[in-house]
Amino acid sequence: MHQLKIATVLLCAISGATTSSVWAQQAAPAPAAAPTAAAPAAAAVKPAAAPVKGFTPPASSSGQTIDSIAVVVNDDVITRNEVAARIKSVEQRMKAQNVPLPDPADLRRQLLERMIVERAQMQLAKEMGVRVDDQTLDRAIGRIAEQQKMTVQDLRNQMEKEGTPFATFREEIRDEIIMQRLREHEVDAKIQISDSEVDNFLEAEKAAASEQVELNLAQILVRIPENSSPEQIAARRARAEEVSRQLRTGADFAKMAATYSDASDALSGGDIGWRNSDRLPPLFTEQLLKLKPGQITPIIKSNTGFHILKLVDRRSAAEAQAVAAVQQTHARHILLKVTPTLSAAEAKRKLAELKERLDNKAAKFEDLARLFSNDGSAAKGGDLGWLYPGDTVPEFEAAMNALKPGEVSQPIESSFGFHLIEVLERKSDDVSKEKQRSAARNALRERKLEEATENWAREVRDRAYVEFRPEDQ
């Protein structure tokens, strides 16, 4: 199982049980990269041997050592068998993902350093009393399975097929959650964002937006067929030149597009709509920025064909943001999660029955939500409050946006399970200042978080007693 797939749902997996199961998941901050300095140069390496409590290398019946200490980390050890097992696991995953393997010595050095950092962090977590009980772990693994659209048994089968015992996988997830909680305590909670930083961020964003230009465009495309001969290309150019001539003499652009353009937007008058200039091909932007609204470009040749573009209008990105109104939706839902005792087909059938009761006015939505919904919003009758675009997962949002106020959806599937959605009301409003400041604060936090996490990981590593043992010990 790809480790990144696990990381994308860990934050969701350890969140409180009351968290609603429709919210679009934020990307969890990646674990700090392990320092890559060569082991002998590490500042914390001590030349003198240290007694290690609780570890006696196992021996075979012939007296040969079958495992030994690779590294001492404080009062704990990393054995050579542990290192070999980690290398094997990583190699299997990289091969499954078709990722080229690095040099074996480099791979071993990188993984060993990462194991040292992880072991030091786990020791710190133990000292601080950070633990994850089996119930929390089971919920986390259940969420990972949901995210992959599997049952837990399917996930177990997949892990073992890839060569990872499920018990080992469980402990890896437990350790990940412990380290995530440790980082939240040691790093996340200590990051402070001042109001002046937010003000400066918003001013910088506004200044950057004022330099960006959005263009409202229409186009006529005379396409060049694949493998065209020089004669065919010349004929297509002649057609484009005739269109250009008629436009210069006053022909209507939309009519000419509908008549001559080979683009998919031909019948809409060639209308492309608003586009950020930074996202247009440079050969288009170079010509368009010279124009005033209403003017057309000369013929522009691309690999696709011959283009004639019309600049309908232009505006700064800041102006676009100023006029943008955001539609908010007040909605509620009933969620049924797929579990070993409730199949997808049964969940969908049950919701269809609930919808029939709602359509027949035989029950109230909020009452059914309290009785049947598996979401944290059940206690509030399924009420999710006012939702902005992007607040929920895409499948939920698309279904919600298709509903009229007072209308209930058919059963809708998402990564969380199956939903019945009811839209209560809608309103359009400019993005509130509070939401802008909240977004700015989150962006600043993410900027600081990566650097702060790396610094903290290095400090934990540097404080640790680390001794590399040679092969013959």
Side-chain angles (χ1 to χ4, degrees), residues 403-440:
L403 298 174
K404 298 175 182 177
E407 189 176 1
V408 177
S409 72
Q410 297 294 330
I412 300 298
E413 184 179 8
S414 79
S415 57
F416 294 103
F418 287 84
H419 310 257
L420 278 187
I421 308 168
E422 182 182 21
V423 170
L424 299 174
E425 53 185 327
R426 284 199 172 94
K427 64 181 180 180
S428 293
D429 198 3
D430 293 343
V431 178
S432 67
K433 289 185 177 180
E434 292 78 10
K435 193 168 182 71
Q436 287 180 354
R437 293 187 69 83
S438 176

Side-chain angles (χ1 to χ4, degrees), residues 25 187 342 419:
Q25 295 175 358
V187 183
L342 183 67
H419 310 257

Side-chain angles (χ1 to χ4, degrees), residues 76 87 118 145 158 161 176 203 218 236 240 249-250 285 309 341 364 375 400 416 451 456:
D76 200 357
I87 291 173
E118 290 173 355
Q158 180 68 27
K161 181 180 178 182
E176 285 283 350
E203 284 298 320
R236 303 303 287 174
T249 58
T285 306
L309 302 175
T341 59
K364 294 181 179 180
D375 187 53
M400 179 181 70
F416 294 103
E451 181 180 0
W456 170 75

